[in-house]
Amino acid sequence: KDDITAGDGAMHDVIKDKAELSTTTTCNVFSLLRQCGLPVAFERQLGPTEFLASRLEMIPLEVVARRVGTGSYCVRNPHVPEGTVFPHLITEFYLKTHDCEFDGHKFPESSHGMSYDDPYLEIVGDEVCLYNAHIPLATQKPFLTLPLIDIFPQGNGKEVMAELSALNTHAFLVIEKALKMLGYDAPDWKIEFGLD
C-alpha cells in the first residue's frame, strides 16, 4: 500500500509509489536472507505490489535487535546514554497484544498514561514476566506474570525463544552488513516469526 503510519496508526499519510518501493525492498531483503541460509516465508515476487509467501501460524512475539541504544530502550534503561553503540547485539522480546489483552488476560490501566500493549517480556524460570515498555524497568515490577506454556502451548518455549534470538541475530547481521556496504547504518529493527 502507499499508506504510511506511525504511532500505532495515530499518524497516517500516503506516499505515491511507496507500495512498489516497499514491495521491491521487502522482496530483496527476504531473497538475501534466504540466500544466506535463513528460513523465510517469502517465495517470490508476483508483481509490482505483490509477493507470494507461505501462510504461517504467528508466534505472538515481537523480536527486536538493537545495535544502538535509542528511543524506548533508553527510556527503559535510563542509565544508557542515547546513541550508545552495543558491540554485542541486544535481543529483546515483546508480547504481541491487542487492546491491552492477550489470550483472555486483560492488562491493568497504566498509572503513567502509557499503554500496556506489546509489553516488554522476560523469562524467569517457567514464567513470563510482563513490564510496561514505556517506563524505566528498575522502577517497576511485572504487571502480569503468565506461565510460559500460555504463550507456547507445545511446551518448548525456552527452546523456541533461543532459536528466535539466534535467527534474529543472524538476520540482523546480514542486513546490517548489506546496508553498511551501501553507506547506511542499522540501529535496530523489529521482526516477527511464524511456524508452518
Side-chain angles (χ1 to χ4, degrees):
K1 297 180 179 180
D2 286 337
D3 299 73
I4 186 165
T5 61
D8 286 332
M11 294 178 272
H12 175 266
D13 205 347
V14 174
I15 299 174
K16 185 179 178 326
D17 299 327
K18 178 198 163 279
E20 290 185 27
L21 294 169
S22 293
T23 302
T24 299
T25 301
T26 297
C27 294
N28 288 342
V29 166
F30 280 118
S31 293
L32 176 60
L33 293 174
R34 184 175 54 210
Q35 290 169 24
C36 291
L38 285 146
V40 295
F42 171 79
E43 293 179 24
R44 68 183 183 279
Q45 187 165 352
L46 299 175
T49 60
E50 297 176 299
F51 62 87
L52 180 65
S54 301
R55 182 174 297 278
L56 303 177
E57 179 184 340
M58 183 188 76
I59 297 172
L61 297 174
E62 294 179 347
V63 185
V64 174
R66 296 192 187 277
R67 174 63 74 202
V68 177
T70 189
S72 65
Y73 182 87
C74 291
V75 170
R76 281 188 307 286
N77 302 281
H79 60 283
V80 176
E82 183 84 19
T84 298
V85 177
F86 305 124
H88 301 285
L89 207 57
I90 292 177
T91 296
E92 296 178 308
F93 293 93
Y94 299 82
L95 184 64
K96 284 195 63 67
T97 60
H98 182 68
D99 292 334
C100 295
E101 189 172 330
F102 174 78
D103 198 30
H105 298 280
K106 186 72 175 153
F107 301 163
E109 291 293 321
S110 170
S111 61
H112 302 281
M114 296 287 191
S115 168
Y116 277 111
D117 257 343
D118 301 335
Y120 178 75
L121 176 155
E122 287 184 346
I123 302 295
V124 178
D126 288 327
E127 294 185 319
V128 173
C129 297
L130 301 177
Y131 299 87
N132 187 319
H134 307 288
I135 58 176
L137 283 175
T139 66
Q140 60 178 313
K141 293 181 178 173
F143 69 82
L144 184 64
T145 302
L146 301 171
L148 187 58
I149 201 150
D150 281 10
I151 298 172
F152 297 98
Q154 306 84 356
N156 60 347
K158 289 182 182 175
E159 294 85 11
V160 171
M161 288 185 72
E163 184 175 357
L164 297 182
S165 182
L167 289 169
N168 181 47
T169 297
H170 185 175
F172 186 88
L173 293 175
V174 167
I175 299 305
E176 180 181 52
K177 179 68 172 181
L179 289 173
K180 190 64 86 177
M181 292 169 65
L182 297 171
Y184 298 101
D185 292 323
D188 55 34
W189 78 6
K190 173 181 70 176
I191 60 174
E192 299 174 11
F193 290 89
L195 300 171
D196 63 13

